[in-house]
Amino acid sequence: MYPSDLKYDKEHEWVRVDGDIAVIGITHFAQDQLGEVVYVDLPSEGDSVVAGETFGEIESVKSVSELYSPVNGEIVKVNDALGDAPETVNEDPYGEGWMIEVKLADAAELDAMLSAEEYEAFVTEEA
Amino acid sequence: MTDRLARTPLHEEHLALGARMVPFAGFEMPVHYAGIVEEHKAVRSSAGVFDVSHMAQFRVFGFGAFDFLQGVLTNDLRKISELGAAQYTLMCDEDGGIIDDLIVYHTGDLEYLIIANAANREVDLDWLRSRCPAGTTIVDGVECEHRPDAGLVELADESDRTALIALQGPAALEVLGELTGPGWEPPARFHIAEALVDTVPALIARTGYTGEDGVEILCHAQTASRIWRALLSFAEVTPCGLGARDTLRLEMGYHLYGNDMDRGVDPVSAGLGWVVGKDKGPFVGSEAIARIRESGPSRRLVGLRVDEGVPRPGYPVLHEGEEVGKVASGTFSPTLGVGIATAYLPVELAGEGTGVVVAMRRREVPATVEKPPFVKSTSLS
């Protein structure tokens, strides 16, 4: 449920890093807590994201949650397919359900994020 | 009211089905099992079963029952003089403020059953007691015999020993028919009748809160699990939580007490003038409601369809940059795939097609005033 090649934060986002590019989405735990996702409000390409600040919003029938960026950088790609198929976030949170791709300002800041093991321990405690 | 949450007689059933439980009106209730959207669609296309045992049940009986209720409720009780008939009605204060919305069933000679909102149980009982004619006996939560000689009116709170299970959807009556056996005919819409459901005695009301055909099954708390399991043994039936109940009712524009109305709102502004009897004689709130009718309300509850995102209760509604109201009820409509809401707006903005803006957390989204029901075609229409 928590792939070991990803990094995690306590706001339930995951990051997949390839060079200086980071793909960001929400975790299995987050999508399960939300229930069926019906709307995802994402920023635009070229926008900046700041670590610890919100970059968008995700809505299920029963609740709305902020999306927090775990990293600093510039958005190079947005998953526009979620506009027509927001339920993809539930069905494939680590694959087709990704949200934004960010060109990292400083790849070293990822070191502070949680490993899959650490994140799993964190959500077990929270649940 | 900081006591631990109450549980319905079906609590263990919900846990066994893996329900997500949430606090609601003092009860621990299932908000969903598989998921709100999935459950919602099951009710629109086949059938869903809901535990609504948290709702309050009062029984009013005796020689004075008719006069008492006719004087304290807004709708005209003469419309349900036929045994088994039911009506939606309101209980208002002297200013026309809505205390609760109720369904009243004419269950027997000199006898009425009232189903009320769980959160209003004590308020309703206090109000009814304070309006009861002299000689009233209040019997709380215990078995009681029909004893009209004991007083003009008896008022029994049967909530704790009663379970209420809603079976709703186009397949609901077919499923019920399998359990009641041949020879039993379901009551007409807005009527109630006795039946044996899987051999268990119950009252079957042809009412609901989803916009689909179906029934609400009233039974003794101890027999609820048996009926619940019998219903779920049919492949057509999906267990549904309060989440789907809310999306289903809002698609139909049905009011929810606490969101769409409260003590600060009168029936005319709430769009419920149709449940206020016009020539029934005086009742609590009748003068105030007549005055509001004559002068016209300043605000009205309207439906809103938003262009994107999900409107939530409390979001401001804007017109030409000014706040003109707040979202009362709001959700995502699984049937339509858009956000829908209700809001009290000034009457000059209440016309169908009027454009307003809903201020969501991160952005302002255009919305259009629409006359509910948002979903026009169901197994009832």
Side-chain angles (χ1 to χ4, degrees):
Chain A
M1 282 191 290
Y2 307 108
S4 58
D5 59 326
L6 306 182
K7 293 282 199 177
Y8 300 85
D9 70 13
K10 291 187 174 178
E11 303 292 346
H12 310 290
E13 280 84 20
W14 56 261
V15 176
R16 178 181 289 118
V17 183
D18 183 10
D20 64 347
I21 298 292
V23 181
I24 298 171
I26 66 164
T27 65
H28 166 76
F29 177 82
Q31 68 81 20
D32 184 57
Q33 288 289 310
L34 278 167
E36 296 126 312
V37 173
V38 296
Y39 191 76
V40 187
D41 181 28
L42 295 175
S44 310
E45 284 177 23
D47 287 359
S48 301
V49 289
V50 177
E53 292 191 5
T54 64
F55 68 83
E57 227 171 48
I58 185 163
E59 305 216 37
S60 65
V61 177
K62 64 176 194 246
S63 68
V64 52
S65 301
E66 308 271 11
L67 296 165
Y68 291 90
S69 176
V71 298
N72 293 294
E74 187 191 320
I75 297 171
V76 293
K77 222 168 168 187
V78 173
N79 189 357
D80 294 324
L82 297 182
D84 287 333
E87 66 277 8
T88 313
V89 176
N90 298 111
E91 292 159 1
D92 190 10
Y94 303 115
E96 296 296 313
W98 67 280
M99 291 177 186
I100 54 171
E101 224 177 87
V102 174
K103 189 168 185 323
L104 291 170
D106 175 13
E109 65 187 355
L110 293 163
D111 297 343
M113 294 187 71
L114 305 178
S115 69
E117 253 173 31
E118 289 166 334
Y119 177 72
E120 190 160 8
F122 170 69
V123 296
T124 309
E125 209 170 289
E126 197 165 80
Chain B
M1 295 299 281
T2 52
D3 304 334
R4 65 179 224 131
L5 294 169
R7 292 173 169 181
T8 76
L10 293 167
H11 186 77
E12 296 300 323
E13 303 294 328
H14 303 319
L15 299 186
L17 288 165
R20 186 155 294 174
M21 306 297 285
V22 295
F24 182 84
F27 282 80
E28 205 177 330
M29 295 298 290
V31 64
H32 65 81
Y33 306 82
I36 296 171
V37 175
E38 196 175 321
E39 292 163 22
H40 180 109
K41 289 181 173 170
V43 174
R44 289 271 179 259
S45 63
S46 179
V49 65
F50 304 74
D51 177 15
V52 284
S53 303
H54 60 304
M55 298 197 77
Q57 288 87 28
F58 313 134
R59 215 176 275 264
V60 179
F61 44 97
F63 287 118
F66 172 87
D67 287 336
F68 166 50
L69 291 178
Q70 184 76 326
V72 78
L73 304 177
T74 62
N75 210 337
D76 192 339
L77 212 55
R78 291 176 299 185
K79 290 187 224 160
I80 57 167
S81 55
E82 179 200 350
L83 269 191
Q87 70 184 183
Y88 180 58
T89 189
L90 301 171
M91 186 156 71
C92 289
D93 63 22
E94 279 77 5
D95 300 325
I98 301 173
I99 292 169
D100 203 1
D101 65 331
L102 315 161
I103 294 188
V104 180
Y105 300 88
H106 192 182
T107 42
D109 201 21
L110 310 177
E111 180 187 286
Y112 296 89
L113 168 72
I114 297 176
I115 298 193
N117 285 295
N120 292 337
R121 177 175 167 187
E122 293 306 325
V123 172
D124 289 353
L125 282 172
D126 286 348
W127 186 263
L128 288 167
R129 282 182 188 118
S130 73
R131 303 290 142 166
C132 252
T136 301
T137 311
I138 313 284
V139 191
D140 279 336
V142 293
E143 291 284 349
C144 52
E145 302 294 317
H146 187 166
R147 288 173 292 142
D149 55 314
L152 286 169
V153 177
E154 286 187 35
L155 168 63
D157 176 8
E158 300 187 344
S159 310
D160 287 339
R161 62 188 183 87
T162 306
L164 187 63
I165 298 170
L167 176 67
Q168 303 276 299
L173 288 180
E174 198 185 313
V175 166
L176 184 69
E178 295 287 324
L179 291 173
T180 52
W184 185 82
E185 285 294 320
R189 184 76 186 147
F190 266 89
H191 281 71
I192 194 166
E194 290 175 355
L196 293 175
V197 181
D198 195 26
T199 73
V200 176
L203 282 174
I204 308 284
R206 188 92 171 264
T207 45
Y209 198 43
T210 62
E212 297 298 332
D213 200 357
V215 295
E216 293 173 297
I217 303 167
L218 196 79
C219 64
H220 197 284
Q222 286 167 357
T223 60
S225 288
R226 177 168 176 149
I227 293 178
W228 176 263
R229 288 182 190 182
L231 293 171
L232 280 176
S233 71
F234 292 85
E236 297 92 329
V237 181
T238 301
C240 300
L242 293 183
R245 186 169 155 85
D246 191 55
T247 53
L248 288 158
R249 70 95 191 164
L250 190 50
E251 283 187 347
M252 303 313 296
Y254 295 158
H255 293 59
L256 174 63
Y257 194 87
N259 283 51
D260 298 302
M261 60 213 171
D262 55 32
R263 198 76 177 256
V265 172
D266 65 87
V268 184
S269 306
L272 294 173
W274 62 277
V275 291
V276 179
K278 289 193 176 63
D279 58 354
K280 62 177 272 190
F283 57 93
V284 182
S286 56
E287 287 174 16
I289 295 167
R291 279 197 303 274
I292 296 162
R293 260 198 180 132
E294 203 172 298
S295 61
S298 59
R299 307 172 72 72
R300 278 193 74 92
L301 188 68
V302 302
L304 295 176
R305 186 189 286 239
V306 302
D307 287 7
E308 57 174 50
V310 184
R312 312 273 177 191
Y315 283 2
V317 180
L318 315 177
H319 182 71
E320 292 174 351
E322 298 281 316
E323 181 170 330
V324 291
K326 281 190 178 359
V327 170
S329 289
T331 193
F332 173 81
S333 160
T335 305
L336 303 168
V338 298
I340 54 172
T342 58
Y344 279 93
L345 296 187
V347 284
E348 56 276 20
L349 297 176
E352 196 156 17
T354 304
V356 293
V357 165
V358 175
M360 301 201 178
R361 291 158 25 130
R362 291 163 52 89
R363 61 201 187 284
E364 295 184 347
V365 176
T368 309
V369 173
E370 178 173 327
K371 191 173 159 54
F374 296 101
V375 172
K376 316 284 182 203
S377 170
T378 71
S379 55
L380 271 187
S381 49

